[in-house]
Amino acid sequence: MRIGLIGTGRIGSFHAAALARHPAVDALLVADADPLRAADLAGRTGADAAADVDAVFAAGVDALVITAATSAHAALIGRAARAGLPTFCEKPIALDLPGTLTALQEVERSGGVLQLGFQRRFDAGYAAARAAVREGRLGRLHTVRAITSDPAPPPAAYLPLSGGLYRDCLVHDFDALRWVTGREVREVYAVGSDTGPAMFREADDVDTAAVVLTLDDGTLATATATRCNGAGYDVRMELAGERDQLAVGWDDRTPLTSAEPGGPAAPEKPWPGFLERFAPAYEAELAAFVELARGERENPCDGHEALHALRIAEACEVSRRERRPVRIAEIAVT
């Protein structure tokens, strides 16, 4: 099959390399707002470079992968849906609910296929935790703790375009929480801190956040995130039940040092970033998309999953600004 890829930045380059290696992908056509960047990636991966986005759609590709800037996602999803192309898109669909809903309606009207890029669903640790919960091995689940810590802030220019820490970063934890537990979030209480670099205050964003989430069965969860974790890239989930506890993301590269005498020291090679930590998961989700586009499997993460996670993030923003608990039902979807 022939796949088109739009957006040749960091994640786009990673996905292009993965697709170029896939035995079912006969040809890969890449495009970018910067044609020179697309040509460079094509040269490194053996892909073909398209002159622009229009050329990708005109080329008769069999499926589309969207890794362009977030602001372009919704329009490209709609265009792909109208063209009848199975589509993979990195999260988010859009930074707001109206844009997300409009794109999803386009997909539904066309009867199209859209897979969203929540790569943690393809991580071995998260999958094992999901199986443990679903099989009852932990007993009644009472507490879940989710952690996402970036080793350094993104460029200042990125912050106003990101949607903020809840929508850009914690949205992965919200999706993983739903996917692992099989429960829905009923209510959130969110707080944030902007006491780090001034660029966060200038962007009306926070550099560190904490959320208490109540699930629909009464399970309590916390989700924390920061852009300023100098020890390294740290993504974990801890699940505690009446019978046992389980930790995702705890290995010899987790950037964590024990304060106990004789406890584990700091890792020699802590995870430096998300591409290294989740490389196998990214490979697996692209392989799943190829199977989906070929009609060989069900959709592992359709667009409505992104809508659920975004509603939680939206509720967190309301909670932070208004300093109160917010029920997810307050975030209307019309």
Side-chain angles (χ1 to χ4, degrees):
M1 66 185 304
R2 193 178 192 204
I3 294 182
L5 181 143
I6 299 173
T8 60
R10 183 166 53 163
I11 191 65
S13 296
F14 188 95
H15 285 341
L19 290 167
R21 291 191 296 268
H22 197 289
V25 178
D26 303 308
L28 180 65
L29 184 64
V30 301
D32 194 273
D34 180 350
L36 291 178
R37 190 164 73 171
D40 176 69
L41 178 62
R44 288 186 281 115
T45 60
D48 297 314
D52 52 29
V53 170
D54 290 341
V56 174
F57 282 95
V61 295
D62 301 306
L64 186 68
V65 172
I66 299 171
T67 52
T70 294
S71 58
H73 287 187
L76 288 171
I77 288 170
R79 186 172 179 180
R82 294 190 296 274
L85 291 176
T87 300
F88 174 92
C89 184
E90 277 298 330
K91 68 85 188 165
I93 293 174
L95 291 179
D96 58 20
L97 285 170
T100 299
L101 289 167
T102 297
L104 289 177
Q105 287 163 2
E106 288 253 36
V107 174
E108 289 172 358
R109 278 196 297 268
S110 70
V113 173
L114 173 64
Q115 179 184 333
L116 258 292
F118 281 112
Q119 88 282 359
R120 295 187 195 181
R121 293 179 175 226
F122 297 88
D123 177 76
Y126 282 96
R130 185 178 193 263
V133 171
R134 301 305 177 86
E135 294 166 11
R137 282 184 266 144
L138 305 184
R140 181 185 65 86
L141 192 65
H142 53 73
T143 308
V144 182
R145 293 177 286 272
I147 299 165
T148 294
S149 301
D150 289 333
Y158 173 76
L159 293 178
L161 309 175
S162 71
L165 191 59
Y166 301 102
R167 299 185 189 94
D168 180 53
C169 185
L170 276 164
V171 72
H172 280 288
D173 297 277
F174 301 151
D175 179 71
L177 179 63
R178 295 181 59 250
W179 187 72
V180 169
T181 66
R183 311 303 309 189
E184 297 296 340
V185 176
R186 187 175 66 204
E187 183 179 88
V188 303
Y189 185 81
V191 294
S193 169
D194 61 3
T195 57
M199 63 182 183
F200 289 96
R201 293 184 291 281
E202 293 164 0
D204 193 26
D205 196 5
V206 294
D207 59 74
T208 303
V211 186
V212 177
L213 309 100
T214 304
L215 307 189
D216 57 10
D217 65 346
T219 300
L220 295 180
T222 60
T224 62
T226 184
R227 302 285 198 186
C228 306
N229 194 58
Y233 183 71
D234 187 10
V235 170
R236 283 176 283 135
M237 176 180 277
E238 300 170 1
L239 301 107
E242 289 183 329
R243 189 177 302 155
D244 203 356
Q245 294 192 101
L246 192 63
V248 177
W250 180 26
D251 59 22
D252 60 3
R253 299 190 68 181
T254 302
L256 192 65
T257 304
S258 174
E260 298 298 328
E268 292 184 9
K269 291 180 62 178
W271 293 111
F274 65 92
L275 283 178
E276 295 83 2
R277 165 67 177 85
F278 286 111
Y282 282 121
E283 292 260 1
E285 75 173 354
L286 263 294
F289 174 64
V290 171
E291 292 177 358
L292 174 65
R294 288 162 59 92
E296 296 171 352
R297 68 169 295 163
E298 296 295 317
N299 195 335
C301 187
D302 69 23
H304 289 280
E305 300 300 293
L307 179 61
H308 288 304
L310 179 59
R311 287 184 75 198
I312 299 169
E314 292 284 338
C316 288
E317 279 290 357
V318 173
S319 177
R320 178 177 73 90
R321 294 180 186 281
E322 298 183 4
R323 297 179 178 274
R324 67 175 179 89
V326 175
R327 296 178 68 84
I328 303 303
E330 295 181 46
I331 309 302
V333 179
T334 57

